[in-house]
Amino acid sequence: MLLSNISIRWLTAITATCVVVCFVVFYLTFKYFWSFERETQHALLLQHEESKRVETVIALEKQEMGSSMADYAAWNDMADYIVSPDPSFVEDSIGIHAFTSQSLDGIFIFAPDASLVWGMQYDDEAGQQISYDSFIPYFPVMLRESQRSSADMVDPKVRFVVIDQEPYLAAASRVCDSEGFNCDKGFLIFMKKVRSQFESVVEQATGIDIDVLSRAPFTSLPAKQINVTYLTPLDFQGHASVLFKLLHQVKLPDFIRTDEVIALICFSLLLFFVSLLMVGYLVRPITQANMALENFKASRGKMPDESLFVSREMKDFARAINRIIAELEENRNKLRWQSDHDPLTRLSNRRKLERELKHFIAELKYDWLAVYLIDVDYFKLYNDYYGHLEGDEVLKSVAQALEQIDFSGDKVVARFGGEEFCVVLAGDREPDTGHYAAQLCAQIRQLAIPHQRSPLGGTVTVSIGGVNAFQAGLDDYLHLFHHADAALYQAKHTGRNRYQVLDWQPGKQKNHIGSPLPHKLS
């Protein structure tokens, strides 16, 4: 009996030991062939998604620079300057303000034969102009793609370049008329150094640490590293001269550690005795994790509140995921707003104006459209006398006044460029275009902004050209601005401080603009 009891005890011990050994072997085999591989693939997938987020933010930065260049390249004044260089144009329309507001390091204007008309490199930190001799050898390379591109419409080309071992974001474009067509006026280049601020923008938008490396050109990528990815955008010559080194937040998992082995053995022994009692407790976290995953899918990226989890790790995980998602959404909203608005006046920019106007025509199908172009009278004289900072304040005040126009239908107010604004009114009833033009002028007069250099009477005034169109189509989009611009020209030509509006029916007299008498404002 004693032997039998001892044998049973040994058999029980051996059996328990075999169970533990089999469980450990099974766990390690299972972990290697399925769990570890899946975790690794999942981590690689998350790292790929992190890389895509960085690429998206970099693309938005390039798109923003291209949009800024398009505003300057599609400009009649720029084309006129190339034909007949006038230093006052550089002082009034470019100047230091253009460098600081766009965070640019260099602006260069070229004639149609690619000869340099004017250029400047500005060091914002030192607050002074510096030599751009190091840029000159790269101009032909930067312009080559734009020279080969179509001259039908403005099309900025934005690439990364390396000059003197320093990475830059460069944009090159043909110079067109103010409507963005007839792009045979010359060429334009913008240069922006990739500073730590650029890295900070990407890191804040994605939550991923990056380093910008430059070498011209890269003959081969650096040696592959774990949890590190290199992005290689191409420059104007098709070389990967700038590298973005991504230090992933998501790390590849280790297969097994010593402390994990010890914990596994202890857990296996404990599991042998209390497995039945712990089944319910073990199933509960699995069920909860599955519910959390389903809720995460259903809410499209929103984890349940951390208070619903039991373990501290899951609480931390839920809190971190929700914070990252909230930050990404906030940064995405900021970037979306910046891409559609003028940073000085906070009005809609020309890109949003075009989108809204086409929305009124093609989707809302309004019968009547009134388009006004508003130009601040003698704004150059104001800037020369009061300074550009005061001039910026005038533009802000004018923008606020224009937004206050009372109209029952849909409207959009945008900065058209420089001291020029645009107001679009849309509705199913014919608007009194003269009444609204007079109201816009009155709103500016009520500001009573002193303008001692104005020949019109001591305060800031505006000239307005408007067009009233019935059942305009998408094909008439540019004609609206063309007619409004012609009306504005007539209002300015006949003395300024007045408005002129034209009635125009799409499909009729597209090449003819009426010439009613302008309305002078007393």
Side-chain angles (χ1 to χ4, degrees), residues 258-269:
T258 302
D259 57 344
E260 187 178 358
V261 173
I262 296 174
L264 179 62
I265 295 174
C266 295
F267 178 76
S268 300
L269 293 173

Side-chain angles (χ1 to χ4, degrees), residues 2-187:
L2 181 59
L3 291 176
S4 298
N5 289 335
I6 294 176
S7 298
I8 292 174
R9 290 171 184 161
W10 275 106
L11 181 60
T12 302
I14 292 172
T15 303
T17 302
C18 291
V19 169
V20 170
V21 171
C22 290
F23 177 79
V24 170
V25 172
F26 175 80
Y27 174 81
L28 295 178
T29 304
F30 178 83
K31 181 178 178 66
Y32 181 80
F33 288 104
W34 190 70
S35 177
F36 176 72
E37 182 67 17
R38 289 189 63 182
E39 291 174 1
T40 301
Q41 292 301 322
H42 183 63
L44 291 173
L45 178 61
L46 294 179
Q47 289 184 354
H48 179 71
E49 292 176 355
E50 288 181 343
S51 301
K52 287 297 183 183
R53 292 204 303 270
V54 173
E55 290 177 344
T56 299
V57 174
I58 293 174
L60 288 174
E61 290 290 321
K62 294 172 66 176
Q63 181 182 0
E64 181 179 3
M65 186 172 183
S67 298
S68 299
M69 161 157 281
D71 291 339
Y72 280 85
W75 190 8
N76 284 335
D77 292 349
M78 179 71 71
D80 294 340
Y81 174 78
I82 294 175
V83 176
S84 179
D86 183 3
S88 63
F89 170 79
V90 175
E91 296 175 2
D92 298 339
S93 300
I94 300 180
I96 303 303
H97 175 73
F99 289 85
T100 57
S101 63
Q102 304 292 334
S103 299
L104 298 177
D105 293 272
I107 299 177
F108 304 92
I109 304 172
F110 299 83
D113 61 355
S115 61
L116 183 63
V117 177
W118 178 86
M120 177 177 174
Q121 183 179 2
Y122 181 76
D123 188 343
D124 186 49
E125 296 179 356
Q128 63 182 6
Q129 181 179 350
I130 60 177
S131 173
Y132 56 86
D133 291 342
S134 60
F135 291 168
I136 295 177
Y138 294 86
F139 288 159
V141 176
M142 297 179 192
L143 293 176
R144 191 171 301 152
E145 188 174 2
S146 294
Q147 289 173 322
R148 293 196 300 263
S149 65
S150 172
D152 294 337
M153 61 184 298
V154 62
D155 183 20
K157 310 295 182 183
V158 185
R159 303 283 188 271
F160 287 94
V161 297
V162 175
I163 300 177
D164 291 341
Q165 299 301 313
E166 291 289 339
Y168 288 83
L169 194 59
S173 174
R174 288 178 173 271
V175 176
C176 314
D177 58 29
S178 291
E179 296 178 354
F181 301 113
N182 301 321
C183 302
D184 56 356
K185 316 301 182 184
F187 300 91

Side-chain angles (χ1 to χ4, degrees), residues 394-424:
V394 168
L395 294 178
K396 293 178 183 178
S397 298
V398 170
Q400 293 175 359
L402 294 178
E403 282 193 303
Q404 294 174 2
I405 182 173
D406 185 16
F407 180 68
S408 59
D410 276 335
K411 69 176 181 179
V412 57
V413 182
R415 186 180 180 190
F416 207 66
E419 69 273 18
E420 199 169 57
F421 298 86
C422 181
V423 175
V424 176

Side-chain angles (χ1 to χ4, degrees), residues 361-362 369 470-478 480 504 506:
I361 296 174
L369 287 174
F470 177 67
Q471 293 184 346
L474 284 177
D475 294 339
D476 304 308
Y477 165 71
L478 293 177
L480 293 172
W504 174 67

